């Protein structure tokens, strides 16, 4: 039996239906992006009055950093629930009894967190850019579009989401409590956010080349993380929570 | 097969076979290793030692997906997505089995468990009994060659249990091979062609009546109005009677064959002037067999 996208699709559709009816998930998906678009917009609108032109790029970078929190945190909370949550509900065993392979299960769980995260993160970024272009001072607008900010945002959104997802799934597969899994997986995203913060604050001077280079490294880390998670998560561990 | 989790033995040296179309009962106390056996046969856990063939396919890591496509396991907990409807739950699993004609399969499965009219209901709004029926419909989606039912009536009220029994009986009539894990002994006695009693190791296996005969000697229960004055004179030496003992309301006679011994016993009692209330072959239930074995194990462990 080879890798089946039909089985992956079955899990993804189920997950998306489940998210839609889960108030906690809907609340998290709504509140987090709302919070992280209001703050950067306020900062951007106020920058021209309070910030001199030399620090403008720094402030724009800082404002846009908030939006990178969305792809880092949102999928990590979703994926942290993915295994331990199902185990707690007793829904994991019936799924694993079917012909689904470990790789299909993991890809399905990852996609179910990745797709909504990417849609929300890019939608929020699009709204931010549109609002800035329409209402912010032209100097600010040119600062947003002139530097590497847009590139960083576009490149790092899916890569951060990927990292958050694999950390979340790995933690979830080894946890026995949903809340602990969610807290640990959010913690797991902090190192990457710290690097991005240094970039946004111009401690690390970002060039297009450096951004692409870091993105390539993060992509490699994401792929390695997927292999590592696939290697440590076996059916027996998923069922019993322990390795024999 | 054997299965260990570190130092802990889940089950050991378990060996049996189940025939096509057979309803096989797997009994044992809590912690006996029943669910672990089912999970191992269902390729969810790998055996620590030994081998098995499930639905005609040798058990191995490579054959896991193929075996799982030919069997179904209904776990003790229905494990339904409570925020999803019955139909959405079944659609998900039909996708996982890569079934064609998904709508038709779901309709047939729901019809089999009498739930056609509840397809649009959210599973969270269903009673425990109805959830169990949805789980059974899910297990039937792929027309399994072997259906593992793990405590299917656990926690159900008598009415819901009876409904599940009815469904199992209809599956039995359809020739589905059923592996029924339970500790409801009357359920096993009523539903199963053969049963096995597991208490980490396999203690007994056979038809319920065979097990009774293996474990208990044949006997006649005699109830009379007033005790006999000289029971040894009346009951001793009768043809087919091997011994006797006092019972709460009369006597229990060890016999080689109740049908041969009973007429002679009746004549002897009438001859002695006893008021016979009843003479009946002792009836040991599967529960007696089970308790006898489990108590033996408890005694051995306490020594």
């Amino acid at each position: 039996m080879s890798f089946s996208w039909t089985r992956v699709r079955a899990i993804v559709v189920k997950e998306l239906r489940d998210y839609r009816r889960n108030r906690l998930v809907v609340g998290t998906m709504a509140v987090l992006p709302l919070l992280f678009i209001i703050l950067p917009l306020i900062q951007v609108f106020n920058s021209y009055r309070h910030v001199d032109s030399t620090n403008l790029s720094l402030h724009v970078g800082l404002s846009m950093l908030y939006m990178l929190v969305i792809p880092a945190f949102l999928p990590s909370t979703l994926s942290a629930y993915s295994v331990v949550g199902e185990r707690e509900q007793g829904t994991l065993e019936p799924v694993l009894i079917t012909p689904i392979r470990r790789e299909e299960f993991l890809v399905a769980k990852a996609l179910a967190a990745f797709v909504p995260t990417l849609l929300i993160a890019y939608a929020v970024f699009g709204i931010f850019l549109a609002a800035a272009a329409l209402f912010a001072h032209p100097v600010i607008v040119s600062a947003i579009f002139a530097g590497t900010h847009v590139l960083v945002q576009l490149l790092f959104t899916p890569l951060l989401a990927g990292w958050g997802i694999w950390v979340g799934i790995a933690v979830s597969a080894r946890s026995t409590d949903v809340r602990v899994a969610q807290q640990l997986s959010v913690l797991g995203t902090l190192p990457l956010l710290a690097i991005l913060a240094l970039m946004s604050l111009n401690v690390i001077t970002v060039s297009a080349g450096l951004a692409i280079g870091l993105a390539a490294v993060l992509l490699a880390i994401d792929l390695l993380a997927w292999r590592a998670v696939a290697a440590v998560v076996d059916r027996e561990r998923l069922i019993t929570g322990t390795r024999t | 097969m054997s299965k260990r989790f570190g130092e802990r033995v889940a089950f050991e040296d378990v060996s049996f076979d189940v025939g096509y179309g057979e309803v096989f009962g797997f009994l044992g106390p809590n912690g006996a290793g029943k669910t672990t056996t089912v999970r191992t046969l269902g390729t969810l856990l790998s055996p620590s030692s030994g081998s098995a063939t499930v639905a005609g396919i040798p058990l191995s890591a490579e054959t896991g997906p193929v075996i799982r496509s030919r069997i179904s396991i209904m776990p003790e907990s229905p494990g339904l997505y409570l925020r999803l409807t019955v139909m959405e739950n079944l659609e998900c699993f039909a996708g996982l089995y890569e079934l064609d004609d998904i709508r038709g399969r779901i309709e047939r499965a729901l019809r089999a468990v009498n739930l056609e009219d509840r397809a649009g209901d959210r599973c969270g709004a269903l009673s425990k009994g109805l959830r169990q029926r949805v789980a059974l419909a899910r297990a039937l989606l792929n027309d399994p060659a072997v259906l593992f039912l793990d405590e299917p009536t656990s926690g159900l009220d008598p009415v819901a249990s009876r409904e599940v029994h009815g469904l199992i009986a209809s599956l039995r009539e359809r020739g589905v091979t059923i592996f029924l894990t339970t500790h409801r002994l009357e359920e096993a006695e009523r539903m199963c062609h053969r049963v096995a009693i597991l208490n980490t190791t396999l203690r007994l296996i056979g038809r319920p009546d065979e097990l009774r005969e293996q474990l208990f000697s044949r006997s006649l229960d005699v109830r009379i109005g007033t005790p006999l004055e000289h029971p040894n004179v009346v009951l001793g030496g009768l043809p087919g009677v091997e011994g006797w003992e006092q019972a709460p309301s009369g006597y229990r006679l060890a016999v080689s064959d109740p049908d041969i011994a009973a007429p002679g016993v009746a004549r002897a009692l009438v001859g002695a002037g006893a008021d016979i209330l009843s003479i009946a072959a002792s009836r040991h239930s599967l529960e007696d067999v089970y308790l006898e074995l489990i108590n033996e194990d408890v005694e051995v462990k306490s020594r």
Side-chain angles (χ1 to χ4, degrees):
Chain A
M1 277 188 168
S2 55
F3 191 94
S4 163
W5 285 103
T6 307
R7 288 195 281 266
V8 171
R9 186 176 169 277
I11 294 285
V12 172
V13 169
K14 182 273 294 176
E15 292 276 307
L16 296 180
R17 281 172 169 165
D18 204 38
Y19 291 162
R20 218 174 54 211
R21 290 171 198 162
N22 186 334
R23 283 182 193 168
L24 187 70
V25 172
V26 172
T28 309
M29 283 185 174
V31 171
L32 197 70
L34 199 66
L35 191 70
F36 287 106
I37 195 173
I38 289 172
L39 287 170
L41 281 176
I42 291 171
Q43 282 198 335
V44 162
F45 291 147
N46 283 333
S47 294
Y48 187 65
R49 266 173 275 166
H50 304 295
V51 180
D52 58 65
S53 59
T54 51
N55 287 329
L56 202 57
S57 179
L58 173 69
H59 271 262
V60 167
L62 187 59
S63 307
M64 291 168 79
L65 174 67
Y66 284 114
M67 280 177 290
L68 283 176
V69 173
I70 298 170
F73 280 6
L74 198 60
S76 65
T77 54
L78 291 178
S79 55
Y81 180 84
S82 61
V83 179
V84 66
E86 288 225 31
R87 197 190 292 136
E88 274 188 6
Q89 284 187 348
T91 51
L92 188 60
E93 191 171 345
V95 170
L96 297 179
I97 285 162
T98 69
I100 195 165
R101 289 172 173 275
R102 173 179 54 182
E103 294 82 2
E104 293 162 354
F105 178 77
L106 291 174
V107 167
K109 287 288 184 182
L111 277 178
F114 188 74
V115 171
T117 299
L118 214 60
L119 289 176
I120 290 170
Y122 280 148
V124 165
F125 187 52
I127 292 167
F128 171 83
L129 290 180
L134 288 172
F135 305 113
H137 193 279
V139 175
I140 306 288
V141 176
S142 63
I144 291 172
F145 286 97
T148 51
H149 301 303
V150 174
L151 177 69
V152 166
Q153 205 76 28
L154 292 177
L155 269 180
F156 281 86
T157 293
L159 297 171
L160 276 175
W163 172 257
I165 285 166
W166 293 126
V167 169
I169 292 177
V171 169
S172 188
R174 286 163 173 259
S175 294
T176 51
D177 184 277
V178 173
R179 284 163 300 179
V180 172
Q182 286 179 331
Q183 286 160 8
L184 287 176
S185 56
V186 167
L187 277 179
T189 61
L190 291 182
L192 288 179
L193 278 179
I195 293 171
L196 287 169
L198 293 176
M199 286 163 64
S200 298
L201 296 169
N202 279 350
V203 176
I204 299 173
T205 310
V206 182
S207 63
L210 179 66
I212 291 169
L214 283 175
V217 170
L218 194 50
L219 179 65
I221 290 173
D222 280 351
L223 292 174
L224 284 174
W226 141 247
R227 304 286 295 184
V229 171
V232 298
V233 173
D234 63 2
R235 204 167 284 266
E236 189 149 338
R237 181 187 285 281
L238 292 177
I239 286 289
T240 61
T242 55
R243 181 180 277 264
T244 55
Chain B
M1 277 196 314
S2 300
K3 177 67 183 172
R4 291 168 178 272
F5 294 101
E7 290 297 302
R8 189 172 69 80
V9 177
F11 61 83
E12 197 162 37
D13 297 332
V14 169
S15 195
F16 60 86
D17 58 81
V18 179
Y20 176 79
E22 184 177 5
V23 180
F24 187 79
F26 207 51
L27 317 177
N30 293 331
K34 303 187 297 293
T35 298
T36 306
T37 306
V38 169
R39 284 175 169 175
T40 308
L41 293 174
T43 77
L44 293 175
L45 306 175
S46 48
S48 303
S49 63
S51 62
T53 300
V54 182
I57 305 162
L59 192 72
S60 73
E62 292 72 35
T63 56
V66 185
I67 290 177
R68 290 196 297 277
S69 70
R70 295 194 192 174
I71 64 169
S72 267
I73 302 178
M74 182 179 146
E76 185 176 350
S77 157
L80 302 171
Y81 296 104
L82 300 181
R83 281 183 283 268
L84 269 55
T85 65
V86 170
M87 177 61 82
E88 287 168 343
N89 266 277
L90 298 182
E91 276 174 356
C92 171
F93 281 85
L96 291 174
Y97 283 108
E98 294 188 289
L99 301 176
D100 46 15
D101 183 25
I102 286 177
R103 288 279 155 171
R105 293 260 194 168
I106 292 175
E107 277 170 21
R108 284 196 292 278
L110 287 176
R111 206 177 307 131
V113 298
N114 302 320
L115 276 181
E116 307 104 300
D117 54 339
R118 308 300 291 267
D121 290 10
R122 283 199 189 179
C123 289
L126 299 177
S127 68
K128 196 167 181 186
L130 290 181
R131 286 181 197 177
Q132 208 76 347
R133 279 157 64 175
V134 177
L136 192 53
R138 182 183 63 200
L140 296 175
L141 274 177
N142 63 328
D143 281 334
V146 185
L147 176 59
F148 292 88
L149 301 174
D150 193 1
E151 308 277 3
T153 55
S154 171
L156 296 186
D157 64 38
V159 175
S161 294
R162 184 180 288 182
E163 285 175 353
V164 172
H165 289 158
L167 294 170
I168 295 171
S170 67
L171 292 173
R172 188 172 66 172
E173 281 162 21
R174 281 165 49 185
V176 178
T177 304
I178 297 174
F179 191 94
L180 175 68
T181 296
T182 184
H183 48 215
R184 289 195 172 184
L185 301 162
E186 80 291 350
E187 182 174 277
E189 185 148 32
R190 187 142 42 101
M191 315 292 313
C192 300
H193 296 113
R194 283 190 309 147
V195 297
I197 298 177
L198 180 79
N199 197 7
T200 309
T201 55
L202 202 58
R203 300 290 281 108
L204 266 183
I205 186 165
R207 291 201 314 268
D209 53 342
E210 281 176 353
L211 300 187
R212 279 192 291 265
E213 283 184 18
Q214 270 184 43
L215 224 62
F216 297 101
S217 55
R218 293 175 150 201
S219 57
L220 277 178
D221 281 333
V222 176
R223 286 176 63 230
I224 54 175
T226 49
L228 296 169
E229 218 169 293
H230 304 289
N232 205 27
V233 175
V234 179
L235 302 172
L238 288 173
V241 176
E242 293 163 352
W244 65 274
E245 62 179 6
Q246 194 87 35
S249 56
Y251 303 93
R252 172 162 288 182
L253 280 58
V255 296
S256 52
D257 186 334
D259 292 342
I260 292 171
V265 171
R267 277 193 296 273
L269 288 169
V270 169
D275 301 322
I276 303 171
L277 301 177
S278 68
I279 299 176
S282 301
R283 176 90 185 139
H284 291 283
S285 65
L286 188 58
E287 187 172 350
D288 296 325
V289 174
Y290 177 89
L291 290 175
E292 181 79 10
L293 282 173
I294 301 306
N295 287 340
E296 253 178 42
D297 287 350
V298 171
E299 279 171 26
V300 168
K301 277 180 188 166
S302 64
R303 268 181 219 152

